[in-house]
Amino acid sequence: MAPIPSRLAWLDALRGPAALAVALHHSGWTFIPGVWAEVDRRIDVGTWGVFVFFLVSGYIIPASLERRGDLRAFWIGRAFRLLPLLLAALGLALLLAYAGAFALHPGLSVRPLPLVILGNVTMLQELLGVPAFIDVMWTLSYEMAFYLLAVGLFATGRAHRSAVTAVVLAVSAVLLGLLLPGPVIGGRADLVAALLGVAVLAVVVVSARAGGGTRTAAAVAGGLLGAALVILGSRIGAWQGLTILAMMFAGTAVYRAERGTIRWRTAVATVMTVLACGVFAKDDPGWAPALLLAAGFFAAGFALRRRSFPRWLAHLGVISFSLYLLHPLLLRVSPNLPLFFLALVPLCYLTHRLIEAPAQRLGRRLARSSPREPEREPAPGGS
């Protein structure tokens, strides 16, 4: 196939293998658990995949936010990028569960239905102590927390402080992780979870629709909520949760260095600090190699960013969200490992073509129709 020379093709070339790695991790434990246990003891392939995603998000989300230049357009873009496929996947999960082909989390039936819907539709369920309809949705909660923090920094003109933010989060991860090894928000804290979920919805809506000081105040409140939810609600503990946010901002630091906003030595020191603080966050022999290799894979992709990539590899990245979100559903109805992967890619190509792509086009049209603010670029000389 002809290569794709797009300046962002390298990001798709990372996303596709990352999504397939997560699918391989779950299918390995399903179909070849004995073999996969040996692999997992050496490197957690699923963790490798999601951390590649986190680094890519950290690199591209601030760029998208600053390119759009206004919060309404950003939130519209995110909503139409994620929610249509998510809602379709949730509907499919319920249908499969009704047919007896997919097992939902038993905790879903004992929590109030409005809270379950609120948590899953806002993608904050992991941080609100609410079970997910589809297990892999846990990463979307950290993506949402990152969006809230990035928007808060952007609205206050501090977006260029990504390196400092990453280091503060990484160091805080170690300190708070020792104090908060488990979630404070969890179990049956239904009222607290509902209030926090509604509060996040409110700050997103206000920051998207309001202007001036009201918009800034809402964005700042959202950033604080995002950080608080990870610290207090992370099911995997504050150390791992904050490490995820720190890795995202490490990806942002690479973007800042590429733009010339910070020095390369600052970006490299930031990434090394985050890795040093994060490799001990989980007592699992496969965790540290996954983090280190994810950073190395991202660095290799960045080094090759001006090269052309095969079309098939870039296309895997384009359908990576479908690959990531739908593979647990297909896994439950697939008879074996080869058929699982033979069906997965065509299925995700269709869902991208029929659901994701039209929704993204609509989102772009709505975003272009929004009143545009002057675009804000990162301030020079930041750290």
Side-chain angles (χ1 to χ4, degrees):
M1 292 184 179
I4 292 181
S6 167
R7 69 182 183 86
L8 296 181
W10 71 277
L11 295 173
D12 286 326
L14 299 183
R15 278 191 283 234
L20 288 179
V22 177
L24 178 62
H25 176 76
H26 292 136
S27 59
W29 278 114
T30 301
F31 295 116
I32 47 171
V35 173
W36 202 252
E38 294 300 318
V39 175
D40 203 58
R41 272 196 285 268
R42 292 162 176 81
I43 177 173
D44 188 328
V45 175
T47 295
W48 174 85
V50 296
F51 270 98
V52 171
F53 272 122
F54 289 143
L55 284 163
V56 168
S57 289
Y59 177 92
I60 197 63
I61 290 300
S64 173
L65 179 56
E66 289 153 18
R67 184 185 70 251
R68 295 177 187 276
D70 96 77
L71 300 186
R72 180 174 181 268
F74 173 76
W75 285 119
I76 289 173
R78 287 291 87 196
F80 281 86
R81 173 69 179 89
L82 300 174
L83 285 178
L85 182 67
L86 177 65
L87 294 175
L90 294 180
L92 181 57
L94 291 174
L95 286 175
L96 289 173
Y98 182 76
F102 184 72
L104 294 173
H105 192 290
L108 289 168
S109 61
V110 300
R111 306 298 292 276
L113 182 60
L115 175 61
V116 169
I117 294 173
L118 174 68
N120 281 266
V121 172
T122 60
M123 298 172 285
L124 290 169
Q125 77 293 326
E126 175 76 6
L127 306 178
L128 295 176
V130 177
F133 283 100
I134 305 172
D135 286 344
V136 296
M137 287 175 59
W138 72 269
T139 62
L140 301 182
S141 295
Y142 294 96
E143 293 272 356
M144 274 297 298
F146 175 68
Y147 299 162
L148 291 167
L149 278 165
V151 164
L153 291 170
F154 174 82
T156 56
R158 291 177 171 82
H160 62 285
R161 308 287 291 178
S162 52
V164 170
T165 303
V167 171
V168 169
L169 287 169
V171 174
S172 299
V174 179
L175 300 176
L176 291 173
L178 297 174
L179 296 174
L180 301 171
V184 175
I185 305 167
R188 297 298 301 275
D190 295 338
L191 179 59
V192 173
L195 290 174
L196 288 170
V198 170
V200 170
L201 270 180
V203 297
V204 168
V205 171
V206 173
S207 66
R209 296 183 62 87
T214 302
R215 179 197 60 187
T216 302
V220 170
L224 294 174
L225 271 172
L229 283 171
V230 172
I231 293 170
L232 301 176
S234 178
R235 179 175 56 86
I236 54 179
W239 196 339
Q240 290 181 54
L242 288 174
T243 294
I244 290 171
L245 286 185
M247 283 286 275
M248 291 193 198
F249 277 105
T252 309
V254 173
Y255 166 72
R256 301 289 176 211
E258 184 187 25
R259 293 291 302 272
T261 307
I262 64 175
R263 295 183 178 92
W264 269 112
R265 64 185 181 189
T266 302
V268 172
T270 298
V271 173
M272 297 304 292
T273 301
V274 171
L275 290 173
C277 292
V279 291
F280 300 108
K282 185 177 182 180
D283 185 17
D284 181 341
W287 167 267
L291 261 64
L292 296 172
L293 288 175
F297 188 65
F298 180 82
F302 182 82
L304 298 172
R305 67 191 183 282
R306 294 186 176 88
R307 302 286 185 91
S308 296
F309 290 88
R311 188 176 297 275
W312 65 267
L313 186 58
H315 282 173
L316 277 178
V318 170
I319 66 171
S320 60
F321 187 44
S322 283
L323 289 170
Y324 182 79
L325 195 57
L326 297 180
H327 81 266
L329 305 180
L330 182 62
L331 194 59
R332 297 295 176 257
V333 298
S334 180
N336 56 55
L337 187 60
L339 283 178
F340 168 69
F341 278 102
L342 283 174
L344 180 62
V345 174
L347 170 66
C348 293
Y349 175 78
L350 286 175
T351 55
H352 177 268
R353 184 86 178 264
L354 299 176
I355 300 174
E356 288 190 84
Q360 290 171 39
R361 287 194 294 268
L362 177 59
R364 284 193 290 269
R365 286 198 295 270
L366 292 174
R368 283 196 296 268
S369 69
S370 69
R372 187 170 176 81
E373 303 168 4
E375 184 165 346
R376 299 189 187 193
E377 294 293 336
S383 58

